[in-house]
């Protein structure tokens, strides 16, 4: 079975997505997600100009070989653009292989080890009352774990609290990242001291209201120094978090040694990683508890399966990134892995806007707080290419953060 064509579909139903569609000479087609939020078109060029042309005519069943052909063969290894491209090709080839085997993908990964994947929702509020109402709404929707983010007094806008409902994102009020589609990023202000003072008061109020059985998560979004991260981790210990995410930027993996030695709050990191080399020390030294690299960015099913098997040796669990910028194709790949990985931890599930499903269809289901892949052979996803054309790409960027004196800070 040969690869006849590698199509790249850019579509924007609610937000921008990049989807690979591999067509084989047998007529079987596979889908892969190559979305890198805010840098989408760089991946499109990588795929169209450099990957598609060298894959045409190759044997579609040789997934492992094609992975190395693209990874080693490029000479220029790793990085989000390269790895998103490899991820999408790999995902599409696994979709094809599972369709040929006439099995849902998770069967090819060893079969089920659990009945469903615990998912966490996003809840946020500009005030504690608003946040408590948002958490209750998620519980009413069936969620059994919730990530909580709150506005910080004195700061105009912070990560995790949407800037408001926008007609441009089809009313998907939670989908804050594309809410300001424009030729340039919007800007937010940041003050770590104000944040560090405020967050524990939010957790105190939420625990007071909901008690301690509900798993709660929080994302610091790479903004703190190791010492600030240690302060935050310690101040949140009384509130028994499921995890505290992305406390520091981690170009320096050893930064986490200080954080780890200072707090027992569980730590999750890795949504911006794309290879085992980004987290080797984090894993082998057990500096984190959960690894966030999803198949869309970590080299597809092949890359992430290896990474998670390696993590399992060190008792690190998965917690795949699942915001709306992972497309329904990427989400399906994650959920197939979630039910097949022994060291699954939790799955982020920031639901897509309804309009996204005018282009994509997915067999993934959510019930009783858990996600499940369907039983359709392959990934269980499809794309309506005619509908995709109705939603052309629109420039959209993640925000940029500045300190109150104007200095650019990590967003
Ligand atoms: C998360 C993430 C997202 C990212 C976004 C970037 O934990 O879900 O931090 O909110 O900011 O996916 O594209
Ligand atoms: Mg995050």
């Amino acid at each position: 079975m040969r690869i006849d064509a590698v199509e790249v579909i850019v579509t924007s139903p609610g937000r921008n997505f990049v989807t690979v569609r591999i067509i084989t000479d047998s007529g079987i087609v596979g889908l892969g997600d190559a979305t890198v939020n805010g840098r989408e078109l760089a991946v499109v060029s990588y795929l169209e100009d450099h990957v598609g042309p060298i894959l045409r005519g190759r044997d579609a069943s040789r997934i492992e070989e094609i992975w190395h052909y693209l990874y080693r063969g490029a000479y220029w290894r790793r990085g989000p653009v390269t790895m998103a491209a490899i991820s999408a090709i790999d995902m599409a080839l696994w979709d094809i292989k599972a369709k040929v085997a006439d099995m849902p993908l998770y069967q090819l990964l060893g079969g089920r080890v659990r009945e469903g994947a615990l998912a966490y929702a996003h809840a946020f509020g500009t005030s504690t009352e608003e946040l408590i109402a948002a958490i209750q709404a998620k519980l009413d929707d069936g969620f059994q774990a919730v990530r909580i983010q709150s506005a910080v007094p004195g700061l105009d806008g912070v990560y995790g609290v949407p800037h408001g409902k926008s007609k441009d994102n089809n009313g998907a009020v939670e989908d804050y990242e594309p809410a300001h589609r424009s030729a340039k990023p919007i800007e937010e202000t940041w003050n770590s001291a104000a944040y560090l003072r405020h967050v524990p008061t939010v957790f105190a109020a939420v625990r007071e209201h909901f008690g301690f059985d509900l798993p709660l998560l929080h994302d610091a979004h790479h903004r703190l120094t190791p010492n600030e991260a240690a302060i935050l981790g310690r101040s949140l210990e009384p509130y028994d978090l499921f995890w505290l995410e992305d406390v520091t930027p981690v170009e320096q993996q050893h930064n986490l040694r200080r954080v780890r030695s200072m707090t027992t709050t569980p730590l999750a990191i890795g949504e911006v990683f794309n290879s085992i080399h980004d987290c080797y020390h984090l894993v082998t030294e057990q500096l984190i508890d959960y690894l966030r690299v999803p198949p869309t960015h970590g080299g597809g099913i092949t890359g992430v399966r290896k990474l998670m098997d390696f993590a399992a040796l060190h008792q690190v669990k998965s917690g795949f990134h699942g915001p709306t910028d992972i497309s329904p194709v990427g989400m399906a790949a994650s959920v197939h892995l979630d039910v097949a990985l022994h060291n699954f931890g939790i799955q982020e599930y920031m639901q897509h806007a309804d309009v996204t499903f005018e282009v994509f269809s997915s067999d993934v289901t959510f019930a009783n707080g858990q996600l499940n892949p369907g039983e359709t052979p392959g990934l269980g996803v499809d794309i309506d290419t005619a509908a995709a054309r109705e939603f052309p790409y629109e420039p959209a960027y993640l925000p940029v953060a500045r300190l109150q004196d104007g200095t650019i800070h990590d967003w």
Side-chain angles (χ1 to χ4, degrees), residues 120 122 147 159 219-222 245-246 271 292 321 348:
Y120 72 88
H122 285 200
R147 182 190 95 159
Y159 168 78
D219 190 349
H221 223 257
H222 314 278
E245 177 182 337
D246 286 341
E271 66 186 41
R292 305 259 298 133
H321 194 206
E348 182 178 18

Side-chain angles (χ1 to χ4, degrees), residues 199-201 203-205 207 212 216 235-242:
V199 182
T201 69
F203 271 87
R207 281 297 184 212
F212 276 76
L216 292 178
S235 67
L236 294 181
E237 278 172 20
Y239 309 112
D240 192 16
L241 272 62
F242 184 97

Side-chain angles (χ1 to χ4, degrees), residues 358-373:
E358 290 179 24
V359 171
F360 295 94
S361 60
S362 171
D363 265 11
V364 170
T365 53
F366 175 71
N368 304 320
Q370 295 180 331
L371 287 162
N372 257 301

